[in-house]
Amino acid sequence: MTIAMTGFSYDEVIDRIIEKNPGNTEGELAKALGIAPNTWTAYKRGERSFGLNEIAEICDTLGVDAEWLLLGAKPASGPLAVEEPGFSLIPRYSVSASAGTGLVALEERPLDQLAFRTDWLRDIGLNPAFCGLIKSAGDSMLPTIPDGAQLLVDLTPGQQLRSGYLYVVVLEGDLLVKRLNRRIDGTIELISDNPLYPKEIVDAQQLDRLTIPGRVAWIGHAV
């Protein structure tokens, strides 16, 4: 995701990245990570923050677990702090994706982790290393997504957008969950399942207003 993450020691994250440096210099490290040397310097100085997409790409490049990169080790306490064989711990973040008029996209802070069967995640096409949980807010996606539902989001970098699927999007600072439709002219329609809400159209010349962190792969809610 493009929203900055907090709740971790960035100095320690940087140290762990350097520890796994696949090259001999930090310039070679920046090249391996696919970022410019001045961008790497900005990360080191704390002038720029990692987002979820960046963390996912770094983990993929270095072959490390996101929990190790962010925390250094698995938490010693908390819900399901020790990963059980056959299960993957998926971080649950404090942001909410609005299924309504829009919420300001705040900084992300993991609240805790929920365990999902690893084979089930892979059966539905997910890589556990690129998953996150956020909460929905509002009624614009009823009846598909109730207010307060947990959304399991596929955060795999570079995934292809597919019309008719549900996505978490950031539109001019608002974090939303909408159904997407891609037109042949490059226009993207953000569609609410609740007919009381009109669709929002982002034409090809305005795509810089829009960021799409990931696809909603599963919806969980109380009954």
Side-chain angles (χ1 to χ4, degrees):
M1 276 171 129
T2 57
I3 313 158
M5 295 195 299
T6 62
F8 310 106
S9 167
Y10 270 90
D11 289 342
E12 292 179 4
V13 171
I14 292 295
D15 288 344
R16 284 190 281 273
I17 292 173
I18 294 174
E19 177 185 333
K20 295 294 184 179
N21 186 354
N24 296 317
T25 68
E26 290 193 31
E28 292 174 337
L29 171 60
K31 182 177 180 180
L33 297 176
I35 60 177
N38 59 338
T39 301
W40 170 251
T41 300
Y43 283 139
K44 288 188 64 177
R45 292 176 177 173
E47 298 168 354
R48 180 168 175 171
S49 299
F50 294 116
L52 275 179
N53 276 350
E54 286 84 2
I55 289 294
E57 290 170 359
I58 290 169
C59 289
D60 190 44
T61 299
L62 301 182
V64 299
D65 180 82
E67 191 172 7
W68 175 84
L69 181 63
L70 295 173
L71 302 175
K74 297 190 183 301
S77 62
L80 296 169
V82 179
E83 188 168 352
E84 295 292 335
F87 287 83
S88 294
L89 296 176
I90 305 302
R92 187 167 65 95
Y93 293 97
S94 61
V95 294
S96 296
S98 176
T101 56
L103 295 176
V104 175
L106 302 175
E107 291 185 335
E108 294 170 356
R109 184 189 303 274
L111 296 170
D112 52 28
Q113 298 166 310
L114 296 182
F116 288 79
R117 288 194 61 89
T118 303
D119 55 359
W120 178 81
L121 291 170
R122 296 195 181 280
D123 283 347
I124 64 173
L126 300 181
N127 181 339
F130 298 108
C131 292
L133 287 159
I134 62 175
K135 187 171 69 173
S136 68
D139 63 354
S140 75
M141 293 306 293
L142 288 175
T144 310
I145 303 177
D147 182 29
Q150 292 292 330
L151 308 177
L152 178 62
V153 183
D154 179 4
L155 300 167
T156 303
Q159 59 184 291
Q160 183 176 0
L161 299 181
R162 295 184 284 180
S163 292
Y165 285 72
L166 298 172
Y167 287 88
V168 173
V169 305
V170 181
L171 181 63
E172 295 185 336
D174 288 341
L175 186 65
L176 311 168
V177 55
K178 297 296 176 186
R179 196 175 298 279
L180 263 60
N181 181 52
R182 298 182 66 187
R183 294 181 179 175
I184 195 170
D185 63 358
T187 296
I188 292 181
E189 297 176 335
L190 305 179
I191 302 169
S192 300
D193 284 3
N194 187 336
L196 296 178
Y197 290 79
K199 70 176 64 172
E200 183 147 10
I201 297 175
V202 183
D203 64 39
Q205 288 72 44
Q206 297 179 310
L207 292 181
D208 58 349
R209 300 169 53 208
L210 181 68
T211 302
I212 304 176
R215 178 180 62 87
V216 177
W218 176 85
I219 303 164
H221 59 90
V223 295

